[in-house]
Amino acid sequence: MSSPIGDIAEQSRTVSSAQAGRWKAAWKYIKRDKYLYLLLVPVLAYYLIFKYAPMFGEIIAFKNYRFADGIWGSQWAGLKHFQRLFTSPDFFNVLKNTLLLNVYSIVFAFPVPILLAILLNEVRVEWYKRMIQNLLYIPHFISWVVLGGIVIALLSPSTGIVNTVLKLLGLEPVYFMASNFWWPIMFIVSGIWQSAGWGTILYLAAMAGIDPQLYEAAKIDGASKLRRIWHVTIPGIRSTIAILLILRVGQMMDVGFEQVFILQNKAVYEVSNVISTYVYHVGLEGAQYSYTTALGLFQSVIGLILVVGVNKLIKAMGENGLW
């Protein structure tokens, strides 16, 4: 009769031998495909140098950082900068603006690429489809410096084409870019113009993987085009929508810098000053590096919590998450 201790030891030896076998098999594949794995070296180096190594600088959020003293030479400040952050009225204003613009973007901008992809997927005239795709993709490759100039020129109260049309209709010109009401709307609209076309690529690629026999079967069953879209196309891209939604929610604390900085002005600071521009003005122009690093660390932690939370929610709904 075997003893419990002997059984445990035997199980441990079995697990160890199995792990050793897996490592041996993995090393065999690595040796066989060593030149392919070498292609990963530049990618790993990029992430190590530009993504992980800079995380060391987060330590200055807990110090009174002075450039002359360096990171290690600066005095420790504990949670002083976080206390200042959470008692600053400016912080809560930029946090509110950041969250509101992101909520507007998810509600109004996120569905647009899905709708465009569905419409393009139903187009059967190839030359027309390619032309529309190219026109939609072009803004993605243009800098926000140029796009922002175009938006400001189009909406100019004196020479902009939009206000020129309003004047012809007998209406008063609208100062779109200097209005606290209109600026967020123009921000979202310009963001859709710049990014929606590029986003359709992912959804069109997902639609290309849907079995055409599903459409044929639905058509034989008498389903209309709208029914086929609802019951075949949308379920076919649901996993792609879920993953992109997780990534988009993970950016809830980050509106981006270029678009806001180009479009904003002093008249609309109350609604346009977001975390990225606040960090620029206070951190770089005001040289308050420790304070803005604390803000950046808070921003990253909240972003991580959002990604993990939404990923769990999506998986609970039966979809595949990021992990």
Side-chain angles (χ1 to χ4, degrees), residues 120-134:
L120 286 172
N121 191 53
E122 297 299 321
V123 174
R124 296 293 175 257
V125 183
E126 286 300 321
W127 68 266
Y128 179 72
K129 183 177 181 179
R130 287 195 299 270
M131 181 185 70
I132 296 299
Q133 284 178 316
N134 290 331

Side-chain angles (χ1 to χ4, degrees), residues 228-245:
R228 294 197 294 272
I229 291 173
W230 183 257
H231 293 289
V232 180
T233 304
I234 294 179
I237 63 173
R238 192 167 55 187
S239 60
T240 303
I241 295 173
I243 290 174
L244 292 179
L245 180 61

Side-chain angles (χ1 to χ4, degrees), residues 11-310:
Q11 290 176 2
S12 299
R13 282 193 295 269
T14 303
V15 171
S16 298
S17 61
Q19 290 177 343
R22 284 195 293 268
W23 278 109
K24 188 176 180 180
W27 180 247
K28 178 182 176 182
Y29 288 122
I30 291 173
K31 287 178 65 178
R32 186 191 67 183
D33 301 325
K34 56 182 176 294
Y35 295 112
L36 290 177
Y37 283 103
L38 282 175
L39 296 176
L40 283 174
V41 172
V43 178
L44 293 174
Y46 169 79
Y47 278 96
L48 287 173
I49 296 171
F50 296 104
K51 300 296 182 180
Y52 286 94
M55 291 174 66
F56 167 74
E58 297 290 346
I59 195 174
I60 70 176
F62 305 95
K63 290 194 167 192
N64 289 320
Y65 176 73
R66 293 180 68 251
F67 187 77
D69 296 332
I71 294 178
W72 289 117
S74 300
Q75 294 180 348
W76 288 98
L79 299 177
K80 167 187 170 183
H81 302 294
F82 291 94
Q83 292 172 349
R84 176 189 169 192
L85 185 68
F86 296 130
T87 56
S88 170
D90 292 335
F91 164 70
F92 288 102
N93 184 56
V94 299
L95 179 62
K96 179 195 71 174
N97 293 338
T98 302
L99 292 175
L100 281 177
L101 290 178
N102 273 300
V103 169
Y104 296 154
S105 179
I106 290 175
V107 173
F108 299 107
F110 185 80
V112 173
I114 303 172
L115 179 61
L116 288 174
I118 291 173
L119 294 175
L120 286 172
N121 191 53
E122 297 299 321
V123 174
R124 296 293 175 257
V125 183
E126 286 300 321
W127 68 266
Y128 179 72
K129 183 177 181 179
R130 287 195 299 270
M131 181 185 70
I132 296 299
Q133 284 178 316
N134 290 331
L135 290 175
L136 290 172
Y137 299 161
I138 286 173
H140 176 78
F141 300 100
I142 302 176
S143 168
W144 264 114
V145 176
V146 178
L147 287 179
I150 294 173
V151 171
I152 293 171
L154 289 173
L155 300 176
S156 171
S158 56
T159 59
I161 187 172
V162 175
N163 276 300
T164 299
V165 172
L166 291 177
K167 291 176 184 177
L168 291 175
L169 295 174
L171 301 174
E172 292 293 325
V174 179
Y175 290 73
F176 291 100
M177 305 310 294
S179 167
N180 287 343
F181 173 78
W182 283 106
W183 192 92
I185 297 174
M186 295 301 105
F187 175 85
I188 298 300
V189 171
S190 61
I192 293 173
W193 176 42
Q194 193 267 346
S195 62
W198 180 256
T200 60
I201 293 176
L202 298 174
Y203 296 112
L204 285 172
M207 291 175 189
I210 299 175
D211 189 350
Q213 293 182 0
L214 295 175
Y215 289 104
E216 294 298 328
K219 192 173 182 180
I220 292 172
D221 288 341
S224 64
K225 184 167 289 189
L226 288 176
R227 285 285 183 180
R228 294 197 294 272
I229 291 173
W230 183 257
H231 293 289
V232 180
T233 304
I234 294 179
I237 63 173
R238 192 167 55 187
S239 60
T240 303
I241 295 173
I243 290 174
L244 292 179
L245 180 61
I246 294 171
L247 296 174
R248 184 64 191 83
V249 172
Q251 299 173 350
M252 280 291 290
M253 296 292 290
D254 183 17
V255 176
F257 176 76
E258 287 186 353
Q259 182 186 4
V260 179
F261 186 72
I262 294 299
L263 296 180
Q264 77 174 182
N265 55 76
K266 292 182 178 180
V268 290
Y269 263 8
E270 186 179 344
V271 296
S272 68
N273 198 19
V274 295
I275 289 178
S276 56
T277 55
Y278 182 69
V279 168
Y280 171 76
H281 292 302
V282 176
L284 295 180
E285 294 183 344
Q288 300 184 45
Y289 304 114
S290 294
Y291 174 65
T292 49
T293 301
L295 174 55
L297 184 57
F298 167 78
Q299 183 181 13
S300 300
V301 169
I302 298 299
L304 176 62
I305 293 172
L306 288 172
V307 168
V308 172
V310 176

